[in-house]
Amino acid sequence: MRPRRKKSLKKNNHQHSDTMTEFELNTDYIELIRLLKLLRLVESGGQAKLAVEEGLVIVNGQTEFRKRAKLRKGDKIQFDGLQILIK
């Protein structure tokens, strides 16, 4: 699994307005909090869990509250102004 970015991310202030990232999935699924950590959108697993619990992550157009939601190819995730497409 490795992320592919179409545009560079602005890591300094975590504002990624209209940035699309493609994440290449080499397994059946990836858990939501693991994806957030792998893409370095959060600094820790605890931050990932809090972001999900607070309703800050949208999966396929719906707010996702399940920390271990299984993401599969074709899923679209929005977090902190960043859009992620699972390929």
Side-chain angles (χ1 to χ4, degrees):
M1 293 180 277
R2 96 191 145 107
R4 294 185 322 200
R5 296 187 176 122
K6 283 190 173 180
K7 295 181 182 177
S8 62
L9 297 177
K10 299 175 187 174
K11 291 187 179 184
N12 296 343
N13 58 8
H14 286 289
Q15 293 179 352
H16 312 283
S17 61
D18 299 325
T19 301
M20 172 65 84
T21 296
E22 291 182 351
F23 182 80
E24 188 172 330
L25 186 63
N26 296 324
T27 59
D28 290 337
Y29 68 88
I30 185 169
E31 293 177 347
L32 178 56
I33 58 173
R34 182 163 183 209
L35 177 71
L36 296 177
K37 290 188 299 185
L38 279 176
L39 292 177
R40 297 182 183 172
L41 300 176
V42 294
E43 294 180 14
S44 67
Q47 273 191 340
K49 289 176 184 178
L50 280 173
V52 175
E53 287 173 1
E54 292 177 4
L56 302 177
V57 183
I58 298 173
V59 177
N60 297 325
Q62 303 227 343
T63 303
E64 181 60 73
F65 293 100
R66 296 174 298 152
K67 296 177 279 271
R68 300 203 181 272
K70 294 178 181 178
L71 304 174
R72 293 182 166 80
K73 291 180 181 179
D75 284 340
K76 295 177 184 174
I77 296 87
Q78 294 176 306
F79 176 69
D80 197 26
L82 177 68
Q83 296 182 30
I84 305 156
L85 175 63
I86 307 293
K87 288 277 203 169

